[in-house]
Amino acid sequence: QVQLVESGGGLVQAGGSLRLSCAASGRTFSINGMGWFRQAPGKEREFVAAISRSGRTTDYADSVKGRFLISRDNAKNTVYLQMNSLKPEDTAVYYCAADLSVVLRTRGYEYDYWGQGTQVTVSS
């Protein structure tokens, strides 16, 4: 089993920045891809970003490209999401997910483990 715990959410003004962290524990050696997803009130969960085990391959949703940066520190079993130039439409609960597959994936149902989520609220 793998446990994921997100942190770093909060309230920020439009144009501001936040950095989310996701700490993994348990059978972390089995984790390959890591991803961030978000779900706004009344909307479906959507893909935000993903990163391969090595960190050399990343993928982003078009809505966050150029503003968000995903990274990971395997020594610390932690993945990060640096969010810059935040907009009110970025308001959502952000979830970290872990994938046992070596293929970098963007669909939530393909991920194996999930964190509890952290709230990000961007005020206008």
Side-chain angles (χ1 to χ4, degrees):
Q1 291 290 328
V2 171
Q3 294 77 43
L4 303 173
V5 178
E6 303 97 334
S7 61
L11 174 64
V12 63
Q13 288 189 331
S17 298
L18 280 175
R19 188 176 83 153
L20 305 183
S21 299
C22 173
S25 61
R27 297 172 63 87
T28 57
F29 61 86
S30 64
I31 298 173
N32 284 293
M34 296 288 292
W36 287 97
F37 293 78
R38 66 186 182 186
Q39 187 167 20
K43 296 187 177 181
E44 293 188 353
R45 181 179 61 195
E46 65 175 357
F47 168 75
V48 175
I51 187 167
S52 64
R53 184 180 182 90
S54 68
R56 288 192 289 268
T57 304
T58 58
D59 197 2
Y60 295 90
D62 288 342
S63 59
V64 307
K65 279 181 182 176
R67 299 188 299 122
F68 289 13
L69 178 68
I70 189 171
S71 61
R72 67 191 292 171
D73 184 337
N74 289 334
K76 296 181 179 179
N77 294 315
T78 301
V79 64
Y80 305 97
L81 185 68
Q82 177 67 43
M83 306 186 294
N84 301 321
S85 302
L86 282 161
K87 305 175 182 180
E89 50 263 45
D90 293 318
T91 295
V93 177
Y94 283 71
Y95 297 92
C96 171
D99 188 4
L100 304 184
S101 171
V102 297
V103 178
L104 195 64
R105 302 195 281 201
T106 63
R107 288 172 287 196
Y109 67 84
E110 295 176 315
Y111 280 72
D112 299 284
Y113 300 99
W114 290 84
Q116 293 299 305
T118 185
Q119 176 70 47
V120 171
T121 303
V122 184
S123 63
S124 57

